[in-house]
Amino acid sequence: MCMVCRMSPCHPRCPNAPDPPAAFHCHDCGEPIYPGDEYARVDGVEYCEGCIDNYPLCVLIPLLGGEWKTVQEGESIKCAGCDEELPVGTEYGIVDGSILCEECIDEIPYCDLVTRMNWDWNTASEEDIYDGYDG
Ligand SMILES: [Zn+2]
Ligand SMILES: [Zn+2]
Ligand SMILES: [Zn+2]
């Protein structure tokens, strides 16, 4: 029995209580990713859903291996999603070889965006915890 909370196993709020086992830790914020949490695996490292959600597109798209660009003077750039000609100075992304405007990328759920760019979008499971120990 624990000497602090006098429970066995410890009460979850007892300082002696072990942290619940995490499947992964987010490469960016370091927060644990628990079984049941969704996460992205990009280039061999895990990112929590919160980080992927919070990245602005100009960060997220290059992270996923795409390009983030601005329409330059004299360029004629057309969005493959909405078929609109993008005015000079507009930012756009190149996703899986397609030019997409910010609005069109915004409409893609990030789980689809991640898989479309050939990375994994998974839900962590109990088995991932043991994989961690096997290394
Ligand atoms: Zn305790
Ligand atoms: Zn994170
Ligand atoms: Zn568009």
Side-chain angles (χ1 to χ4, degrees), residues 26-31 47-52:
C26 173
H27 179 72
D28 192 335
C29 66
E31 288 294 317
Y47 294 88
C48 70
E49 192 177 359
C51 281
I52 295 286

Side-chain angles (χ1 to χ4, degrees), residues 29-44:
C29 66
E31 288 294 317
I33 299 168
Y34 296 115
D37 290 346
E38 290 183 281
Y39 68 98
R41 182 179 283 139
V42 177
D43 211 6

Side-chain angles (χ1 to χ4, degrees), residues 41-105:
R41 182 179 283 139
V42 177
D43 211 6
V45 295
E46 290 82 23
Y47 294 88
C48 70
E49 192 177 359
C51 281
I52 295 286
D53 195 18
N54 285 333
Y55 288 136
L57 290 176
C58 59
V59 173
L60 180 63
I61 298 300
L63 178 85
L64 297 176
E67 287 181 76
W68 190 254
K69 302 181 111 174
T70 305
V71 181
Q72 304 296 316
E73 199 71 54
E75 277 182 329
S76 167
I77 303 287
K78 209 175 200 186
C79 171
C82 57
D83 219 25
E84 294 281 332
E85 180 98 22
L86 304 178
V88 171
T90 307
E91 292 181 290
Y92 65 97
I94 300 180
V95 175
D96 194 23
S98 305
I99 292 169
L100 290 174
C101 72
E102 212 167 338
E103 287 83 61
C104 286
I105 295 174

Side-chain angles (χ1 to χ4, degrees), residues 20-26 31-39 41 46 122-133:
F24 306 108
H25 286 85
C26 173
E31 288 294 317
I33 299 168
Y34 296 115
D37 290 346
E38 290 183 281
Y39 68 98
R41 182 179 283 139
E46 290 82 23
N122 288 321
T123 302
S125 71
E126 298 283 343
E127 279 149 49
D128 292 318
I129 297 170
Y130 301 112
D131 281 359
Y133 287 117

